[in-house]
Amino acid sequence: MNVNGKPYRTIWLEGDIVKIIHQPFIPHEFEISSLRTHQETATAIQEMWVRGAPAIGAAGVLGMVQAMLHSTPDNYRKFTVDAADLLKNTRPTAQNLFFEIDQVLHCIEQANSWDDACEKVLTQANHSVDTSINACQSIGRFGSELFQDGDSILTHCNAGWLACIDWGTALAPVYYAAREGKQNFIYVDETRPRGQGSRLTAWELGQENIEHAIIADNAAGYYMSRNNIQKVIVGADRIAANGDTANKIGTFTKAVVAFEHGIPFYVAAPISTIDFDCPTGLKIPIEERTPDEVLYTWGMADNGEFLRVRTAPAKSSAKNPAFDVTPAKYITGIITEEGIYQPADLHQLNQ
Ligand code: MRU
């Protein structure tokens, strides 16, 4: 996708360096960070310099490439298993991280020498990146067919190209529809506490000249009740085998209100986000992040200074679950790279 008219990916590899768009600075500054080791890549995932399930998965793969290249013929098996543990221990909910790293580990297990393992891991990394981008583009193609010209669409969090390598999941159909000439208006949930909607989704949509408005998270029900919203589309961090879907905290309440108003509620995600070993949403691990994300906010003052300010009483504590689970009964369809599936039919995708 484009930044000031220039095409970018969210994450890529240059030699043994992982390059990322540094997301905490957006929308105020656009900077690329260089991650020189798999430990730095793990930190970038944990600190959410790179975030969004498919992008976290890509960071996992590229971190494994770094570990492989920095290992030796004598230590590569243990070194890469330890690296996989470190990378997996960063964020527990995004299924793509585990799916992608396990694929790399499998390649290393199959290799008969360090050289062979390096070659296999690099081939696997290229394959993962291509598969992820193609999946998102296909999600865009299938999802755009659901949009009528003139529809207003609500989205929560950032499931755009910043959350993937390119295109996005929930926003891919928006971009695809725009390229087909459809005019859609996007209601962007602010997405407290970290503001992925107001910081990232709004910025992305602006780069693509897509009409949108940021709304406070608690305004979505008001707009749904006034017939202002025709569809809701969100991404996913992990989808259980029965279709229950973990996504950014606040998604569940949007789904219930949409259901109450008869508004279709779609989840867009690549098949790599489906955890076929997880029977229901109750088994999905939910990340609990620092209370500081609720107690403080941050941004840029008019003089250009980055500021972190406390918005809560000095002695108040906070709780901060990063995700919630939307039960399958509220989900109209799951848009994947293979087409749109009812939650009950997901098992058809389990190869
Ligand atoms: O905590 P984040 O910002 O990594 O959470 C991201 C989301 O919840 C997205 O909606 C989800 O990963 C889908 S990304 C295409």
Side-chain angles (χ1 to χ4, degrees):
M1 306 300 281
N2 292 323
V3 179
N4 301 326
K6 186 174 166 203
Y8 272 94
R9 288 180 176 178
T10 300
I11 179 164
W12 68 97
L13 190 68
E14 278 180 24
D16 62 351
I17 297 178
V18 175
K19 300 265 187 175
I20 55 166
I21 294 176
H22 193 88
Q23 300 199 25
F25 293 159
I26 291 177
H28 306 296
E29 282 172 10
F30 182 76
E31 267 188 28
I32 308 299
S33 285
S34 296
L35 311 170
R36 295 181 186 279
T37 62
H38 72 273
Q39 290 92 341
E40 286 186 16
T41 301
T43 301
I45 300 171
Q46 192 145 39
E47 298 294 323
M48 295 178 66
W49 302 342
V50 57
R51 32 67 48 207
I56 293 171
V61 174
L62 300 185
M64 287 301 291
V65 172
Q66 290 177 301
M68 188 65 231
L69 296 178
H70 296 160
S71 69
T72 65
D74 291 336
N75 74 1
Y76 76 95
R77 289 193 189 275
K78 177 162 179 1
F79 193 81
T80 51
V81 166
D82 289 349
D85 285 346
L86 182 79
L87 288 158
K88 283 182 178 184
N89 272 322
T90 50
R91 299 198 67 194
T93 307
Q95 166 65 4
N96 309 58
L97 179 66
F98 304 93
F99 174 85
E100 299 288 357
I101 291 177
D102 284 345
Q103 303 228 80
V104 177
L105 284 175
H106 181 70
C107 291
I108 297 168
E109 276 160 23
Q110 303 294 308
N112 50 36
S113 67
W114 182 83
D115 286 322
D116 188 29
C118 285
E119 197 180 314
K120 283 190 162 69
V121 167
L122 281 166
T123 305
Q124 175 63 34
N126 286 330
H127 172 74
S128 283
V129 167
D130 291 346
T131 305
S132 181
I133 294 170
N134 292 337
C136 287
Q137 186 169 6
S138 298
I139 288 169
R141 184 162 44 85
F142 286 119
S144 68
E145 289 168 20
L146 299 167
F147 296 169
Q148 308 292 317
D149 189 22
D151 274 354
S152 288
I153 296 153
L154 174 75
T155 191
H156 189 71
C157 194
N158 172 260
W161 69 272
L162 286 169
C164 303
I165 304 173
D166 207 351
W167 282 97
T169 54
L171 292 189
V174 171
Y175 296 135
Y176 216 94
R179 280 165 176 60
E180 288 171 337
K182 291 180 193 164
Q183 303 268 338
N184 297 116
F185 184 87
I186 313 301
Y187 284 86
V188 178
D189 279 340
E190 183 186 17
T191 318
R192 283 282 295 149
R194 287 188 63 102
Q196 286 94 330
S198 57
R199 295 175 197 276
L200 306 178
T201 297
W203 179 82
E204 270 194 33
L205 293 172
Q207 293 294 328
E208 291 289 314
N209 294 318
I210 299 200
E211 247 198 300
H212 64 279
I214 300 164
I215 58 171
D217 291 324
N218 36 18
Y222 165 77
Y223 285 110
M224 287 197 240
S225 71
R226 299 288 170 112
N227 289 327
N228 289 116
I229 290 170
Q230 282 71 51
K231 269 137 208 151
V232 183
I233 187 163
V234 298
D237 288 82
R238 191 183 296 228
I239 303 175
N242 71 344
D244 293 349
T245 294
N247 192 52
K248 182 51 58 193
I249 192 79
T251 303
F252 169 45
T253 28
K254 303 303 171 320
V256 175
V257 180
F259 190 78
E260 171 67 21
H261 290 92
I263 298 169
F265 181 95
Y266 292 101
V267 170
I271 296 166
S272 53
T273 305
I274 306 171
D275 183 354
F276 292 104
D277 295 330
C278 180
T280 75
L282 285 173
K283 299 272 182 205
I284 298 177
I286 299 295
E287 177 183 7
E288 185 81 30
R289 291 188 64 83
T290 169
D292 281 2
E293 291 181 350
V294 176
L295 300 171
Y296 293 81
T297 192
W298 81 96
M300 188 180 261
D302 287 347
N303 67 2
E305 196 185 345
F306 267 107
L307 293 176
R308 176 182 186 255
V309 293
R310 185 164 178 120
T311 54
K315 290 195 174 151
S316 290
S317 61
K319 292 185 184 294
N320 188 15
F323 303 99
D324 58 24
V325 175
T326 299
K329 71 172 181 178
Y330 296 117
I331 299 171
T332 312
I334 299 178
I335 308 164
T336 74
E337 64 270 41
E338 295 292 333
I340 303 172
Y341 284 76
Q342 298 290 304
D345 293 335
L346 281 186
H347 59 92
Q348 294 170 9
L349 293 167
N350 188 8
Q351 294 120 9

